[in-house]
Short mmCIF file of all heavy atoms in Angstrom, two decimals:
data_model
loop_
_atom_site.label_atom_id
_atom_site.label_comp_id
_atom_site.label_asym_id
_atom_site.label_seq_id
_atom_site.Cartn_x
_atom_site.Cartn_y
_atom_site.Cartn_z
N SER I 1 6.90 9.49 -19.00
CA SER I 1 5.90 8.68 -19.68
C SER I 1 4.60 8.77 -18.94
O SER I 1 4.62 9.04 -17.66
CB SER I 1 6.34 7.26 -19.74
OG SER I 1 6.44 6.61 -18.48
N ASN I 2 3.50 8.69 -19.66
CA ASN I 2 2.16 8.83 -19.13
C ASN I 2 1.50 7.40 -19.08
O ASN I 2 1.09 6.94 -20.15
CB ASN I 2 1.33 9.77 -19.92
CG ASN I 2 -0.09 9.92 -19.34
OD1 ASN I 2 -0.48 9.18 -18.50
ND2 ASN I 2 -0.82 10.88 -19.91
N GLY I 3 1.59 6.72 -17.99
CA GLY I 3 0.97 5.40 -17.83
C GLY I 3 -0.30 5.44 -17.04
O GLY I 3 -0.59 4.51 -16.26
N LEU I 4 -1.08 6.55 -17.26
CA LEU I 4 -2.28 6.75 -16.60
C LEU I 4 -3.44 6.01 -17.29
O LEU I 4 -3.75 6.37 -18.48
CB LEU I 4 -2.59 8.20 -16.50
CG LEU I 4 -3.90 8.65 -15.70
CD1 LEU I 4 -3.90 8.26 -14.29
CD2 LEU I 4 -4.09 10.18 -15.91
N LEU I 5 -4.03 4.99 -16.71
CA LEU I 5 -5.12 4.30 -17.30
C LEU I 5 -6.40 5.17 -17.14
O LEU I 5 -6.65 5.67 -16.06
CB LEU I 5 -5.33 2.99 -16.70
CG LEU I 5 -4.23 1.89 -16.75
CD1 LEU I 5 -4.76 0.63 -16.01
CD2 LEU I 5 -3.89 1.60 -18.12
N THR I 6 -7.17 5.26 -18.23
CA THR I 6 -8.48 5.91 -18.13
C THR I 6 -9.46 4.92 -18.83
O THR I 6 -9.50 4.81 -20.06
CB THR I 6 -8.44 7.29 -18.86
OG1 THR I 6 -8.00 7.08 -20.18
CG2 THR I 6 -7.62 8.29 -18.15
N THR I 7 -10.18 4.22 -17.99
CA THR I 7 -10.94 3.13 -18.46
C THR I 7 -12.47 3.35 -18.10
O THR I 7 -12.80 4.09 -17.12
CB THR I 7 -10.50 1.77 -18.00
OG1 THR I 7 -10.68 1.78 -16.51
CG2 THR I 7 -9.08 1.50 -18.37
N ASN I 8 -13.29 2.71 -18.83
CA ASN I 8 -14.72 2.83 -18.49
C ASN I 8 -15.20 1.82 -17.40
O ASN I 8 -16.18 2.09 -16.78
CB ASN I 8 -15.63 2.48 -19.82
CG ASN I 8 -15.44 3.64 -20.80
OD1 ASN I 8 -15.52 4.79 -20.54
ND2 ASN I 8 -15.22 3.28 -22.09
N THR I 9 -14.41 0.79 -17.29
CA THR I 9 -14.89 -0.23 -16.27
C THR I 9 -13.61 -0.81 -15.56
O THR I 9 -12.48 -0.66 -16.01
CB THR I 9 -15.56 -1.47 -16.97
OG1 THR I 9 -14.61 -2.20 -17.81
CG2 THR I 9 -16.74 -1.02 -17.84
N ILE I 10 -13.91 -1.36 -14.37
CA ILE I 10 -12.83 -2.02 -13.64
C ILE I 10 -12.26 -3.22 -14.47
O ILE I 10 -11.05 -3.47 -14.37
CB ILE I 10 -13.32 -2.44 -12.22
CG1 ILE I 10 -12.15 -3.01 -11.36
CG2 ILE I 10 -14.35 -3.60 -12.31
CD1 ILE I 10 -11.33 -2.00 -10.73
N ASP I 11 -13.07 -3.89 -15.25
CA ASP I 11 -12.56 -5.00 -16.05
C ASP I 11 -11.58 -4.53 -17.00
O ASP I 11 -10.58 -5.23 -17.26
CB ASP I 11 -13.76 -5.76 -16.67
CG ASP I 11 -14.55 -6.55 -15.76
OD1 ASP I 11 -14.01 -6.92 -14.69
OD2 ASP I 11 -15.71 -6.80 -16.11
N GLN I 12 -11.76 -3.40 -17.71
CA GLN I 12 -10.90 -2.78 -18.61
C GLN I 12 -9.51 -2.49 -17.97
O GLN I 12 -8.47 -2.73 -18.44
CB GLN I 12 -11.43 -1.55 -19.30
CG GLN I 12 -12.60 -1.87 -20.30
CD GLN I 12 -13.18 -0.61 -20.83
OE1 GLN I 12 -13.02 0.49 -20.29
NE2 GLN I 12 -13.90 -0.76 -21.95
N ALA I 13 -9.61 -1.94 -16.70
CA ALA I 13 -8.41 -1.64 -16.00
C ALA I 13 -7.58 -2.89 -15.66
O ALA I 13 -6.43 -2.92 -15.76
CB ALA I 13 -8.79 -0.86 -14.72
N ILE I 14 -8.31 -3.93 -15.17
CA ILE I 14 -7.64 -5.20 -14.84
C ILE I 14 -6.97 -5.77 -16.08
O ILE I 14 -5.81 -6.21 -15.98
CB ILE I 14 -8.64 -6.21 -14.30
CG1 ILE I 14 -9.14 -5.72 -12.89
CG2 ILE I 14 -8.08 -7.56 -14.27
CD1 ILE I 14 -10.31 -6.47 -12.37
N GLN I 15 -7.61 -5.66 -17.20
CA GLN I 15 -6.96 -6.21 -18.47
C GLN I 15 -5.75 -5.45 -18.83
O GLN I 15 -4.79 -6.07 -19.36
CB GLN I 15 -8.02 -6.13 -19.60
CG GLN I 15 -9.13 -7.09 -19.53
CD GLN I 15 -10.18 -6.88 -20.61
OE1 GLN I 15 -9.89 -6.20 -21.62
NE2 GLN I 15 -11.38 -7.39 -20.41
N ARG I 16 -5.69 -4.20 -18.50
CA ARG I 16 -4.50 -3.39 -18.86
C ARG I 16 -3.41 -3.30 -17.78
O ARG I 16 -2.36 -2.78 -18.02
CB ARG I 16 -4.95 -1.95 -19.13
CG ARG I 16 -5.67 -1.82 -20.52
CD ARG I 16 -6.59 -0.68 -20.65
NE ARG I 16 -7.25 -0.57 -21.90
CZ ARG I 16 -8.25 -1.38 -22.32
NH1 ARG I 16 -8.73 -2.34 -21.47
NH2 ARG I 16 -8.76 -1.26 -23.52
N ALA I 17 -3.69 -3.97 -16.70
CA ALA I 17 -2.72 -3.99 -15.57
C ALA I 17 -2.08 -5.43 -15.48
O ALA I 17 -1.74 -5.88 -14.39
CB ALA I 17 -3.41 -3.65 -14.30
N GLY I 18 -1.98 -6.11 -16.58
CA GLY I 18 -1.25 -7.42 -16.55
C GLY I 18 -2.09 -8.57 -16.98
O GLY I 18 -1.65 -9.77 -16.90
N SER I 19 -3.32 -8.31 -17.46
CA SER I 19 -4.12 -9.40 -17.98
C SER I 19 -4.09 -9.52 -19.44
O SER I 19 -3.02 -9.42 -19.98
CB SER I 19 -5.63 -9.19 -17.40
OG SER I 19 -6.48 -10.25 -17.80
N LYS I 20 -5.24 -9.61 -20.05
CA LYS I 20 -5.32 -9.77 -21.55
C LYS I 20 -4.55 -8.75 -22.40
O LYS I 20 -4.03 -8.98 -23.45
CB LYS I 20 -6.78 -9.84 -22.02
CG LYS I 20 -7.58 -11.00 -21.54
CD LYS I 20 -8.99 -10.91 -22.00
CE LYS I 20 -9.88 -11.90 -21.28
NZ LYS I 20 -11.32 -11.77 -21.65
N ALA I 21 -4.73 -7.45 -21.95
CA ALA I 21 -4.18 -6.37 -22.79
C ALA I 21 -2.70 -6.01 -22.38
O ALA I 21 -2.26 -4.93 -22.74
CB ALA I 21 -5.04 -5.10 -22.64
N GLY I 22 -2.06 -6.90 -21.69
CA GLY I 22 -0.68 -6.58 -21.28
C GLY I 22 -0.62 -5.75 -20.06
O GLY I 22 -1.59 -5.63 -19.36
N ASN I 23 0.57 -5.18 -19.75
CA ASN I 23 0.72 -4.32 -18.61
C ASN I 23 1.16 -3.00 -19.04
O ASN I 23 2.21 -2.80 -19.59
CB ASN I 23 1.72 -4.96 -17.61
CG ASN I 23 1.82 -4.18 -16.35
OD1 ASN I 23 2.04 -3.02 -16.33
ND2 ASN I 23 1.61 -4.90 -15.20
N LYS I 24 0.29 -2.03 -18.88
CA LYS I 24 0.53 -0.67 -19.36
C LYS I 24 1.67 0.01 -18.52
O LYS I 24 2.23 0.97 -19.03
CB LYS I 24 -0.72 0.19 -19.32
CG LYS I 24 -1.83 -0.36 -20.35
CD LYS I 24 -1.35 -0.44 -21.79
CE LYS I 24 -2.36 -1.03 -22.62
NZ LYS I 24 -1.97 -1.22 -24.01
N GLY I 25 1.91 -0.53 -17.30
CA GLY I 25 3.02 0.03 -16.51
C GLY I 25 4.38 -0.35 -17.19
O GLY I 25 5.24 0.50 -17.28
N ALA I 26 4.41 -1.61 -17.67
CA ALA I 26 5.64 -2.02 -18.37
C ALA I 26 5.78 -1.25 -19.71
O ALA I 26 6.91 -0.83 -20.05
CB ALA I 26 5.52 -3.54 -18.68
N GLU I 27 4.65 -0.97 -20.38
CA GLU I 27 4.79 -0.21 -21.58
C GLU I 27 5.26 1.26 -21.32
O GLU I 27 6.04 1.77 -22.10
CB GLU I 27 3.40 -0.18 -22.34
CG GLU I 27 3.08 -1.56 -22.89
CD GLU I 27 1.67 -1.48 -23.62
OE1 GLU I 27 1.20 -0.35 -23.99
OE2 GLU I 27 1.12 -2.64 -23.83
N ALA I 28 4.75 1.78 -20.26
CA ALA I 28 5.20 3.17 -19.90
C ALA I 28 6.67 3.22 -19.59
O ALA I 28 7.42 4.16 -19.96
CB ALA I 28 4.38 3.74 -18.72
N MET I 29 7.18 2.17 -18.88
CA MET I 29 8.63 2.07 -18.63
C MET I 29 9.43 1.88 -19.87
O MET I 29 10.50 2.44 -19.98
CB MET I 29 8.86 0.97 -17.56
CG MET I 29 10.36 0.98 -17.13
SD MET I 29 11.02 2.46 -16.42
CE MET I 29 10.24 2.48 -14.78
N LEU I 30 8.95 1.03 -20.75
CA LEU I 30 9.61 0.77 -22.02
C LEU I 30 9.75 2.11 -22.80
O LEU I 30 10.76 2.36 -23.40
CB LEU I 30 8.84 -0.26 -22.82
CG LEU I 30 9.63 -1.01 -23.88
CD1 LEU I 30 10.81 -1.75 -23.22
CD2 LEU I 30 8.72 -1.99 -24.55
N SER I 31 8.71 2.97 -22.75
CA SER I 31 8.84 4.30 -23.39
C SER I 31 9.89 5.11 -22.74
O SER I 31 10.65 5.83 -23.47
CB SER I 31 7.49 5.02 -23.27
OG SER I 31 6.53 4.39 -23.99
N ILE I 32 10.06 5.02 -21.43
CA ILE I 32 11.07 5.77 -20.74
C ILE I 32 12.47 5.30 -21.20
O ILE I 32 13.37 6.14 -21.52
CB ILE I 32 10.96 5.54 -19.24
CG1 ILE I 32 9.81 6.35 -18.67
CG2 ILE I 32 12.24 5.95 -18.45
CD1 ILE I 32 9.93 7.90 -18.72
N ILE I 33 12.66 4.02 -21.29
CA ILE I 33 13.95 3.45 -21.67
C ILE I 33 14.28 3.91 -23.05
O ILE I 33 15.37 4.35 -23.36
CB ILE I 33 13.89 1.91 -21.57
CG1 ILE I 33 13.79 1.48 -20.10
CG2 ILE I 33 15.19 1.24 -22.24
CD1 ILE I 33 13.43 0.03 -19.92
N GLU I 34 13.36 3.81 -23.97
CA GLU I 34 13.63 4.25 -25.36
C GLU I 34 13.91 5.74 -25.47
O GLU I 34 14.84 6.15 -26.19
CB GLU I 34 12.44 3.89 -26.23
CG GLU I 34 12.66 4.22 -27.70
CD GLU I 34 11.52 3.68 -28.66
OE1 GLU I 34 10.68 2.95 -28.17
OE2 GLU I 34 11.57 4.15 -29.84
N MET I 35 13.10 6.51 -24.70
CA MET I 35 13.37 7.96 -24.78
C MET I 35 14.69 8.35 -24.08
O MET I 35 15.38 9.30 -24.59
CB MET I 35 12.19 8.78 -24.10
CG MET I 35 10.88 8.63 -24.89
SD MET I 35 11.08 9.19 -26.60
CE MET I 35 11.31 10.97 -26.36
N LEU I 36 15.10 7.68 -23.01
CA LEU I 36 16.40 8.02 -22.44
C LEU I 36 17.53 7.82 -23.48
O LEU I 36 18.34 8.63 -23.60
CB LEU I 36 16.68 7.05 -21.26
CG LEU I 36 16.12 7.46 -19.91
CD1 LEU I 36 16.20 6.32 -18.92
CD2 LEU I 36 16.78 8.73 -19.37
N ASN I 37 17.48 6.75 -24.22
CA ASN I 37 18.41 6.42 -25.28
C ASN I 37 18.31 7.36 -26.45
O ASN I 37 19.38 7.79 -27.03
CB ASN I 37 18.40 4.98 -25.64
CG ASN I 37 18.90 4.02 -24.62
OD1 ASN I 37 20.06 4.25 -24.15
ND2 ASN I 37 18.12 3.11 -24.12
N LEU I 38 17.11 7.75 -26.76
CA LEU I 38 16.95 8.69 -27.91
C LEU I 38 17.48 10.05 -27.58
O LEU I 38 18.14 10.69 -28.36
CB LEU I 38 15.44 8.76 -28.20
CG LEU I 38 15.12 9.69 -29.42
CD1 LEU I 38 15.78 9.27 -30.72
CD2 LEU I 38 13.64 9.87 -29.63
N TYR I 39 17.24 10.52 -26.29
CA TYR I 39 17.82 11.78 -25.92
C TYR I 39 19.32 11.81 -25.99
O TYR I 39 19.91 12.79 -26.39
CB TYR I 39 17.39 12.09 -24.46
CG TYR I 39 16.02 12.71 -24.30
CD1 TYR I 39 15.00 12.37 -25.02
CD2 TYR I 39 15.82 13.70 -23.21
CE1 TYR I 39 13.79 12.97 -24.86
CE2 TYR I 39 14.60 14.31 -23.03
CZ TYR I 39 13.54 13.90 -23.86
OH TYR I 39 12.31 14.48 -23.66
N LYS I 40 19.99 10.65 -25.70
CA LYS I 40 21.37 10.55 -25.85
C LYS I 40 21.83 10.65 -27.28
O LYS I 40 22.79 11.27 -27.61
CB LYS I 40 21.89 9.31 -25.19
CG LYS I 40 21.84 9.27 -23.73
CD LYS I 40 22.19 7.83 -23.24
CE LYS I 40 21.82 7.59 -21.76
NZ LYS I 40 21.89 6.33 -21.32
#
């Protein structure tokens, strides 16, 4: 999974790391979990 944030501002990064926009690290791991099961 690609959980690489590419943001215009530090505020956008903060929002995506557990603030208003959720946690993109959790989303990247969720993709891993789904793909592991899909591969099976």
Side-chain angles (χ1 to χ4, degrees):
S1 66
N2 181 353
L4 180 64
L5 298 181
T6 54
T7 63
N8 290 316
T9 66
I10 187 79
D11 289 336
Q12 289 175 343
I14 291 167
Q15 289 175 16
R16 286 158 179 76
S19 184
K20 294 179 191 174
N23 187 305
K24 299 302 180 183
E27 289 180 21
M29 184 58 74
L30 203 57
S31 293
I32 286 293
I33 294 166
E34 185 173 348
M35 291 303 291
L36 276 168
N37 286 306
L38 180 61
Y39 275 36
K40 291 174 192 168

